[in-house]
Amino acid sequence: MLEFNKIIFITENDNSEGPLAAVLCKKWLPLEKIEVESRGLAVVFEEPMNPKTVAVAETNEIEIEHTSKQLEDDDFGEDVLAFVLDEAKKQTVYDE
């Protein structure tokens, strides 16, 4: 059985799909003891959520507040499950 304490959704900028995936995961999966978050591969400075993503979330009665965060080495560990949401970026994450 897989045991993990954190799930990370990884995207390029961490201001759209990743944070939305994290919020949906928290909402629909019973993971009280698991930290769920998102990170970006190229976050130069913190940015608010993409307004279109916020609009889609609000239309579906999902509250989302997030500021983009850079993916760091210390985000990973043996107890971390990472989902790279962009197929083309998977190798970048594995290489780094």
Side-chain angles (χ1 to χ4, degrees):
M1 183 170 106
L2 292 175
E3 292 189 24
F4 48 89
N5 294 315
K6 180 164 68 170
I7 297 172
I8 304 175
F9 292 95
I10 303 168
T11 58
E12 181 72 20
N13 300 316
D14 191 37
N15 66 356
S16 188
E17 299 95 342
L20 182 59
V23 168
L24 293 174
C25 184
K26 289 177 193 176
K27 180 176 179 171
W28 290 331
L29 297 177
L31 303 170
E32 299 92 29
K33 297 179 182 180
I34 298 176
E35 185 179 350
V36 180
E37 54 192 36
S38 65
R39 294 287 186 266
L41 295 173
V43 179
V44 178
F45 54 90
E46 294 182 349
E47 294 184 45
M49 286 291 301
N50 179 312
K52 291 181 181 179
T53 304
V54 173
V56 168
E58 289 174 352
T59 299
N60 291 283
E61 299 178 0
I62 298 168
E63 186 176 323
I64 187 168
E65 289 185 31
H66 179 79
T67 303
S68 61
K69 295 180 182 137
Q70 176 67 38
L71 182 66
E72 303 287 345
D73 289 340
D74 61 350
D75 287 320
F76 293 101
E78 292 183 13
D79 63 341
V80 177
L81 180 61
F83 292 101
V84 182
L85 300 184
D86 182 347
E87 183 72 30
K89 300 295 181 186
K90 282 184 183 179
Q91 195 60 47
T92 302
V93 172
Y94 294 134
D95 289 345
E96 294 178 7

